[in-house]
Amino acid sequence: MDNLIDHVVIDVRDRMAEGAEAWRRLGFQLTPMGKHSLGSANHLAILGRDYLELLGTDVPGGALRPDIAPYPVGLNGLVFRTGDAEALAAAQQARGVPIGPAQAFHRPADLPDGTRQDARFRTARLDRAAAFDGRLYWCEHLTPEHVWRPEWQSHSNGALGVARILLSVRDPERQAALFRRIFGTAAVTEGPGGRAILQAGEAEVEFAPHAAVAAELGEAAPDPAGRGDHMALLGVSIRSLPETAAALRINAVHFTEAPGLLRIPAREAMNTALDFMA
């Protein structure tokens, strides 16, 4: 299936050390820094079936990759999984979806056993003008064994997987129409209050009007920083609320509690509102 979430991207730009420290405080174990053949750097938080990526440059004040340079610090990348990036790109182009050709790249991965191996990927990217103000693409893992390592999948906050992506948009139906063209008419359903929801395996991608998102998130909302339609909140499933709350308190992380979730304001998580969801 090509509508399963592979990972989500939090841009940290040239603040990689600050971003890594912030997300470690939130209870995530991060992989050693990797450097892509495309010129960027990252840390990953590997979950059960997907992962989170802190993406930027390892050089303070350093140049950013051209495709990520326009975006501010925050949640800007939604990535789906594919088993064949070239075939996916061809199929989507045949549907009239503006997607570019597959691109191959790699990064050295320092593995827990002390060896270094190349993690290799192919991606196919949607034209940035076609959807929300962020990056949407598909990732084919050629060496998944160098990403989903059991040693990296244990987090003190009990994180298990991506559960919800909330986007703040002007017109949810516009976004829904694009995602129906990509994934099929049955893939997107109507939600309450004019929302549209894409079921992505065990996760939901939700498009909601700006006013509804502002009302839901309140002071926890991220700064749009010039973005229009944008990714506003990441929800991560966890083992238990008490376990996660204890991990957050140890590191003096501010959070609020609501039925079934703990909410981290965007100012604590590199301009990304974050829900831990039981």
Side-chain angles (χ1 to χ4, degrees):
M1 295 177 64
D2 294 326
N3 67 335
L4 298 178
I5 291 177
D6 184 82
H7 64 283
V8 296
V9 183
I10 299 99
D11 287 324
V12 297
R13 297 185 62 84
D14 65 341
R15 296 160 59 187
M16 183 65 72
E18 178 187 348
E21 174 60 22
W23 283 74
R24 289 189 182 107
R25 285 185 65 243
L26 295 170
F28 290 99
Q29 177 188 185
L30 300 181
T31 61
M33 184 187 295
K35 297 184 180 181
H36 296 118
S37 57
L38 299 176
S40 48
N42 70 1
H43 287 286
L44 308 179
I46 306 298
L47 306 174
R49 59 184 180 270
D50 42 44
Y51 60 92
L52 314 180
E53 179 179 23
L54 303 181
L55 180 66
T57 173
D58 62 322
V59 180
L64 292 164
R65 237 170 59 192
D67 60 311
I68 64 176
Y71 299 106
V73 168
L75 185 64
N76 293 310
L78 176 58
V79 189
F80 294 95
R81 183 172 302 176
T82 181
D84 189 330
E86 289 187 357
L88 177 134
Q92 291 295 341
Q93 289 166 359
R95 295 184 184 181
V97 175
I99 187 171
Q103 178 183 35
F105 63 101
H106 66 274
R107 62 170 173 79
D110 293 318
L111 303 182
D113 62 8
T115 64
R116 171 173 282 194
Q117 302 288 339
D118 270 351
R120 296 183 292 112
F121 318 88
R122 288 193 300 182
T123 58
R125 301 173 184 272
L126 190 73
D127 185 293
R128 59 172 293 189
F132 56 89
D133 195 357
R135 288 171 289 120
L136 188 150
Y137 58 100
W138 287 259
C139 183
E140 175 188 358
H141 288 266
L142 303 176
T143 54
E145 68 275 13
H146 300 333
V147 176
W148 279 275
R149 302 280 300 200
E151 302 95 329
W152 289 335
Q153 291 176 292
S154 177
H155 306 277
S156 64
N157 59 25
L160 301 174
V162 174
R164 185 189 185 206
I165 302 290
L166 175 63
L167 289 97
S168 178
V169 302
R170 179 179 59 83
D171 181 2
E173 181 51 38
R174 174 182 176 271
Q175 299 292 339
L178 172 68
F179 280 79
R180 289 189 184 105
R181 189 194 309 174
I182 293 172
F183 295 120
T185 56
V188 182
T189 58
E190 294 184 6
R195 299 178 184 228
I197 299 172
L198 168 70
Q199 194 67 42
E202 297 181 35
E204 288 187 345
V205 179
E206 185 175 346
F207 306 94
H210 291 311
V213 174
E216 178 179 345
L217 299 185
E219 294 184 355
D223 178 3
R227 294 172 295 178
D229 294 356
H230 62 281
M231 300 171 70
L233 175 133
L234 166 66
V236 174
S237 62
I238 55 173
R239 284 190 294 264
S240 80
L241 291 174
E243 175 186 356
T244 301
L248 296 173
R249 290 188 180 105
I250 287 173
N251 290 327
V253 175
H254 174 73
F255 63 91
T256 57
E257 299 183 59
L261 64 83
L262 307 175
R263 176 161 293 164
I264 309 295
R267 63 180 178 273
E268 297 267 357
M270 300 303 288
N271 201 33
T272 299
L274 174 65
D275 279 354
F276 289 111
M277 304 169 64

